[in-house]
Amino acid sequence: MAEQKTVYFGAGWFSDVQNRAYKDAMDALAANPTINLKDSYIPLNNQYKGIRVDEHPEYLHDKEWAQATYNGDLIGIRSSDIMLGVYVPDEEDVGLGMELGYAQGQGKYILLVIPDEFYGNPINLMSWGVADNIIPMSKLKDFNFNQPRFGFYDGAVY
């Protein structure tokens, strides 16, 4: 078996488009032999005390939940081999932007994945600049995380 890397899985889950991209990326990672998905950090699966605010919005005002979830995610970034960001150009997630910047500060390799139907659309300059490579979703299942490489994005920035 090939060596496997862990990823910090940065992705929004706040709209139907983001949820579809989230699922497609998870399916691709599960099929990728160079990823150890079991030991990767998936923020949605690591909310403080297992409380998901999409199911319990009352916790959006709970400072203990917020601080512990935030700190847990930072630990997830630091302890993962690679930062993976699922990026939907027309539905940017400010949380993903923060995670990308933090991962760069930690010296992590950063891969952005864009759903195929949006690949080539303009993306934010800062997200473009922080990424080591940006690929369409259809290439994620075959991406060799043991040999990460730099790559330019084929679309424009704003």
Side-chain angles (χ1 to χ4, degrees):
M1 176 188 267
E3 180 183 349
Q4 293 184 314
K5 302 288 186 188
T6 59
V7 296
Y8 178 92
F9 185 81
W13 57 83
F14 307 108
S15 73
D16 290 341
V17 171
Q18 289 177 351
N19 280 317
R20 187 171 52 254
Y22 185 105
K23 181 190 178 310
D24 290 348
M26 288 298 288
D27 290 346
L29 290 174
N32 188 311
T34 64
I35 286 296
N36 173 354
L37 195 54
K38 179 182 85 59
D39 294 323
S40 289
Y41 191 90
I42 315 300
L44 190 56
N45 297 343
N46 286 282
Q47 305 289 285
Y48 182 61
K49 294 185 178 179
I51 299 167
R52 289 179 43 163
V53 294
D54 56 332
E55 296 169 352
H56 298 281
E58 65 274 15
Y59 279 91
L60 288 170
H61 300 282
D62 185 294
K63 288 176 180 52
E64 177 184 348
W65 178 90
Q67 189 66 53
T69 298
Y70 172 81
N71 286 338
D73 287 355
L74 295 184
I75 291 168
I77 292 169
R78 288 193 306 267
S79 63
S80 296
D81 296 318
I82 291 172
M83 170 73 204
L84 180 120
V86 179
Y87 187 97
V88 178
D90 295 335
E91 297 187 20
E92 288 182 328
D93 176 11
V94 68
L96 176 60
M98 182 277 168
E99 293 164 330
L100 293 171
Y102 187 78
Q104 184 186 47
Q106 295 296 308
K108 301 298 179 178
Y109 178 84
I110 298 172
L111 178 68
L112 285 186
V113 178
I114 298 176
D116 287 24
E117 64 268 28
F118 302 114
Y119 190 82
N121 290 7
I123 65 172
N124 184 281
L125 171 66
M126 296 305 178
S127 298
W128 171 85
V130 78
D132 293 299
N133 201 344
I134 303 172
I135 64 171
M137 186 73 71
S138 58
K139 293 189 176 184
L140 182 57
K141 73 177 179 59
D142 297 316
F143 187 84
N144 186 347
F145 285 89
N146 292 318
Q147 295 178 344
R149 301 289 187 261
F150 177 80
F152 281 106
Y153 179 54
D154 294 330
V157 298
Y158 61 88

